[in-house]
Amino acid sequence: MSPSNCAQRHLTLVTSATYQPAPGIELPVLTQKGPLVKTYLDIVYRVIMNAIHDSKRVLACRFDLTLPHGVPLPQDGHTNGPIQRCMASLHAKIDYDRQRRESPHRCRVRYVIAREHSQDGAPHFHLLLLFNLHAYHTPGTVDYDGRNLFNMLAEAWASALRVPLDTAKTCVQLSRGHATEHTAWQGDVYSHYYLEPGNNYCALPALYFRASYLCKLYSKAYGEEHRSILYSHR
């Protein structure tokens, strides 16, 4: 997007290596892919704070979702319809799983989702998902057959796209970051982070740095009537 189009859409861009999402708070951000959108950075911080205020201890995970190739998709397959159905399904699966396990810990799923476009024009989605750490301690892995967050997300994506689970699983990735991210900030690259008051939420800078990748202007498409950022409002 050109600077003039940014101005027309009232997008304020951030190019510095750090950002202040709140007074007195300065956090590292990733700008290797170009400028970041200030509004999106504020959204990420607000969603993280909402999760902390609600659960105190938070599990934060980074996932990437793509569309499968060579299989029929719903008519709205290239809109935000599937990702919205996916999140609704994931909420329902989390509620059912907690009831099945008789877990005393409620778990509202908070999220930030960035819609971006690949070179072939198809959309893909970068997700930051936040859970109550008392209810879920790890996202799990693709090679586990039981109930875990990874498999529940894959099931939700399969349901949203109306494709077989095995097909959907190939389109769900637990994101561990990139080498450019690792060298840009002195911290290990993880797929998930623990935010806990016991250590004064020391993982917040690393998490915010990773999550700022969702806020980049690059590869987002505007003017298509599909929101580039979706997020939980409470």
Side-chain angles (χ1 to χ4, degrees):
M1 174 178 288
S2 68
S4 60
N5 287 336
C6 291
Q8 290 173 4
R9 295 186 177 277
H10 307 291
L11 296 180
T12 301
L13 302 182
V14 174
T15 58
S16 60
T18 61
Y19 179 67
Q20 291 186 324
I25 304 295
E26 185 168 2
L27 296 170
V29 293
L30 177 66
T31 56
Q32 271 75 2
K33 289 288 187 177
L36 310 175
V37 179
K38 179 182 183 299
T39 301
Y40 301 165
L41 289 169
D42 292 336
I43 287 172
V44 167
Y45 184 77
R46 185 163 65 247
V47 171
I48 293 173
M49 289 300 105
N50 285 343
I52 288 175
H53 292 156
D54 185 40
S55 302
K56 305 303 181 187
R57 301 178 71 229
V58 174
L59 168 66
C61 307
R62 268 283 288 111
F63 289 94
D64 296 324
L65 299 183
T66 57
L67 298 178
H69 295 286
V71 299
L73 295 176
Q75 281 190 335
D76 65 350
H78 283 237
T79 72
N80 284 343
I83 193 64
Q84 291 170 331
R85 290 195 297 272
C86 177
M87 292 309 302
S89 177
L90 180 62
H91 278 279
K93 291 180 183 299
I94 292 291
D95 288 342
Y96 176 78
D97 184 60
R98 286 179 47 255
Q99 293 174 15
R100 180 186 62 83
R101 294 188 290 112
E102 297 182 349
S103 171
H105 305 293
R106 65 189 182 92
C107 184
R108 174 180 291 169
V109 184
R110 289 181 168 85
Y111 61 89
V112 181
I113 301 171
R115 172 194 172 92
E116 298 186 356
H117 283 255
S118 304
Q119 291 184 348
D120 61 3
H124 60 270
F125 301 92
H126 301 296
L127 283 66
L128 171 65
L129 302 181
L130 302 123
F131 307 90
N132 184 346
L133 184 56
H134 293 284
Y136 295 97
H137 197 261
T138 174
T141 59
V142 65
D143 55 358
Y144 178 67
D145 293 329
R147 303 294 294 171
N148 62 21
L149 293 175
F150 182 96
N151 285 331
M152 283 190 280
L153 179 60
E155 291 171 2
W157 195 224
S159 174
L161 293 174
R162 303 176 192 132
V163 299
L165 177 57
D166 287 345
T167 300
K169 269 195 170 185
T170 66
C171 301
V172 179
Q173 179 181 0
L174 187 58
S175 174
R176 297 185 183 278
H178 307 283
T180 54
E181 296 180 18
H182 185 98
T183 56
W185 188 71
Q186 296 302 312
D188 292 327
V189 177
Y190 298 109
S191 62
H192 57 282
Y193 301 84
Y194 300 130
L195 300 175
E196 303 183 81
N199 58 22
N200 200 28
Y201 297 103
C202 65
L204 178 59
L207 170 61
Y208 192 78
F209 178 82
R210 285 291 311 284
S212 70
Y213 182 80
L214 279 64
C215 305
K216 67 185 186 299
L217 186 68
Y218 176 77
S219 75
K220 291 183 173 64
Y222 296 89
E224 294 187 350
E225 298 183 357
H226 305 306
R227 294 176 58 192
S228 295
I229 289 287
L230 300 92
Y231 60 99
S232 52
H233 290 267
R234 294 186 299 162

